[in-house]
Amino acid sequence: MISLYGVCRYPDLFTGAGCLSTHWPAGGNLLVDELAALLPPAGRHRFYFDYGTVGLDAEYEPFQQRMDRLLEQAGYRHGHDRLTRKFPGAAHNEAAWRARVADVIAFLVLGRVACE
C-alpha cells in the first residue's frame, strides 16, 4: 500500500508500484477510493497488484476488483501499465511473496507479463 501511495504522492520520483497482498480491509472501500483519486495520469506509471486466497488474503478480492475498475477508468490498461493476479492457495506471508517477486519485477521494470 505504501508503494501505491508513493507513486501517487511522488509521481515524478516513482514510476511503478509492486503491491503484493495489499491489505485493503484496513480502510475498505474508502481507502481504495481515496488512493484511486490520487492516481497520476495513465501513460507513464505501472501498477502491479496480487493477492492469495488463504488467511488475510481471502478478504482482498472485492477491494482489489474495485481498485482494478478505478484504474481502468483512469486509463490504465491491464497487461500494459497495470496488472492484477490472483494466486489460489497463497497466503499473506513472505514465502508466498518470494515465490512471485520475479514476476513483479519483470512487469514493473521490463513491462513483461508472466503466463497467467
Side-chain angles (χ1 to χ4, degrees):
M1 197 172 309
I2 194 66
S3 299
L4 172 60
Y5 178 75
V7 174
C8 292
R9 180 72 171 93
Y10 302 102
D12 293 331
L13 183 60
F14 300 109
T15 59
C19 306
L20 288 76
S21 295
T22 309
H23 191 66
W24 297 118
N29 287 334
L30 178 62
L31 174 64
V32 173
D33 294 349
E34 291 295 320
L35 286 170
L38 298 174
L39 288 168
R44 192 175 150 247
H45 302 85
R46 285 194 182 114
F47 295 97
Y48 173 97
F49 295 92
D50 72 17
Y51 58 96
T53 58
V54 175
L56 288 174
D57 279 29
E59 301 176 27
Y60 298 171
E61 189 166 23
F63 301 107
Q64 186 58 57
Q65 289 174 341
R66 184 181 187 98
M67 176 55 85
D68 291 342
R69 285 190 302 274
L70 293 169
L71 282 159
E72 186 175 330
Q73 290 171 6
Y76 288 90
R77 296 176 292 153
H78 179 76
H80 177 71
D81 48 13
R82 73 172 176 88
L83 182 64
T84 297
R85 297 183 68 196
K86 177 179 179 177
F87 290 90
H92 189 91
N93 61 46
E94 290 82 3
W97 304 326
R98 181 177 53 245
R100 53 196 197 241
V101 72
D103 291 343
V104 179
I105 294 168
F107 178 71
L108 292 176
V109 176
L110 304 173
R112 294 187 185 154
V113 178
C115 294
E116 296 187 37

